[in-house]
Amino acid sequence: MSQIGFIGLGIMGKPMARNLLKAGHSLVVYDIVPGPLAELVEAGAARAGSCREAAALAEIVITMLPDGPDVELAMAGADGVLAGARSGSIVVDMSSINPTVSQKIAAACAEKGVEFLDAPVSGGEPKAIDATLAIMVGGKPQIFAKAEPVLRAMGSSVTLTGPAGAGNVTKLANQIMVACNIAAMGEALVLATRAGLDPEVVFNAVKGGLAGSTVLNAKAPMVIGRNFKPGFRIRLHQKDLRNALLAAESMKVSLPFTAAVQQMLMALMNEGKGDLDHSGIVTFIERMAGIEVKKPS
Ligand code: NAD
């Protein structure tokens, strides 16, 4: 069993930290918001007063924060993870961030004799609660082997995909496929609805064929039922596609479909829809056609 520092107890981090406690690990937790900290302390974790304190006694320090700038902030400065982390300990950043930032953090860790893995997740809050997340990891194989038992307490699929940054490249690839799938589904269902068809009948007709997908099965019923309760929020998917475009630019790769969907997500955020489920991408396409995807009345 490991001594683990856990920083960032939000929608994802809180259930992930609980699962580590359930698996018998010792936890020292920290968040800038007191509410979730108190809940974890009640569940048996020790409370740290800063990122530095959470890192100071830990063999493994996990961060689960919104985006790259938040992770850089948590690492740096007199109260940061790197001021406290012991030589030979492992920092595992599980946030979804730009892979070039992961590589920068890996280099800063190496300067302090600290190992680094980037290990973003897929699956959302329900899978974080059930400890069945898909975890995509970047880093050295021997460090992955040390951290893998801890990661397995939070996920059912744990895969090393390459060196530092590779976990986030894999996560961005995942997010591109999901976003473009939702947008394509939106165009298809808007067309079918304008043609006078029942979108539910169309969905049932195609779901067993080549166009069928996990995304279609999860999101088409939400759109047809006009239920945009998150799930995965539009603002987080906008952040992921922005990171995909930034990473792509640094590698001189053009991602035309990703760019188009990222612009749709940005427009939806400006309309006040940032906290809707990402299936709400469809509402952007609906507005251009002046029609809603729903059962004919
Ligand atoms: P969240 O906003 O609910 O939680 C982030 C937590 O980090 C908050 O409690 C916040 O107070 C804390 N925090 C921010 N800055 C901090 C700092 N400097 N020090 C300590 N604590 C700090 O976000 P979330 O939904 O838990 O997502 C976390 C990451 O996981 C994101 O990168 C997200 O894209 C990714 N992710 C989310 C989902 C999902 O469905 N929510 C699914 C897969 C991946």
Side-chain angles (χ1 to χ4, degrees):
M1 290 305 134
S2 303
Q3 178 73 36
I4 299 170
F6 201 109
I7 299 165
L9 303 167
I11 292 177
M12 298 296 284
K14 196 164 66 173
M16 289 162 69
R18 278 188 191 280
N19 286 327
L20 291 173
L21 281 175
K22 271 191 216 152
H25 298 289
S26 300
L27 239 61
V28 184
V29 292
Y30 178 67
D31 196 293
I32 46 177
V33 175
L37 255 182
E39 282 181 52
L40 260 293
V41 169
E42 185 144 321
R47 180 198 301 260
S50 65
C51 293
R52 178 178 53 77
E53 255 182 61
L57 295 173
E59 300 156 73
I60 295 184
V61 187
I62 295 175
T63 45
M64 190 52 168
L65 304 169
D67 199 2
D70 308 297
V71 182
E72 288 191 290
L73 196 69
M75 295 292 157
D79 272 330
V81 168
L82 287 176
R86 293 184 298 186
S87 171
S89 63
I90 306 172
V91 169
V92 184
D93 177 38
M94 302 191 75
S95 329
S96 303
I97 70 169
N98 184 339
T100 56
V101 176
S102 302
Q103 287 162 350
K104 242 171 85 184
I105 295 169
C109 286
E111 271 179 32
K112 300 258 175 185
V114 173
E115 299 292 346
F116 176 81
L117 298 171
D118 57 309
V121 308
S122 175
E125 190 184 18
K127 291 193 174 220
I129 293 169
D130 295 348
T132 54
L133 290 165
I135 306 179
M136 307 144 226
V137 190
K140 298 177 195 156
Q142 66 275 26
I143 304 306
F144 173 72
K146 280 191 188 168
E148 192 181 356
V150 170
L151 297 176
R152 292 232 170 251
M154 296 178 282
S156 51
S157 155
V158 182
T159 312
L160 181 67
T161 61
N168 270 306
V169 172
T170 309
K171 171 70 183 178
L172 291 179
N174 182 79
Q175 295 304 80
I176 289 170
M177 288 188 269
V178 171
C180 292
N181 247 285
I182 294 173
M185 174 190 84
E187 293 194 354
L189 294 181
V190 162
L191 177 69
T193 308
R194 169 52 55 80
L197 277 58
D198 179 342
E200 191 168 26
V201 171
V202 174
F203 162 57
N204 285 325
V206 304
K207 70 182 182 193
L210 191 56
S213 69
T214 309
V215 169
L216 185 72
N217 289 342
K219 302 300 175 183
M222 289 180 76
V223 173
I224 295 163
R226 311 313 290 171
N227 164 25
F228 298 109
K229 185 173 169 283
F232 189 69
R233 290 175 207 280
I234 280 176
R235 70 174 72 258
L236 282 179
H237 217 146
Q238 192 278 139
K239 177 259 308 181
D240 288 339
L241 295 195
R242 176 165 42 81
N243 283 335
L245 294 171
L246 286 169
E249 188 181 0
S250 73
M251 293 179 251
K252 298 194 168 32
V253 171
S254 54
L255 302 177
F257 292 113
T258 303
V261 182
Q262 198 259 354
Q263 294 296 306
M264 293 178 199
L265 288 162
M266 181 98 79
L268 290 167
M269 282 170 63
N270 287 332
E271 277 177 40
K273 293 181 174 170
D275 288 317
L276 297 188
D277 186 71
H278 54 168
S279 54
I281 291 170
V282 173
T283 63
F284 183 93
I285 297 152
E286 288 175 333
R287 213 180 44 253
M288 290 193 292
I291 197 167
E292 271 190 4
V293 173
K294 57 184 180 197
K295 290 179 83 57
S297 45

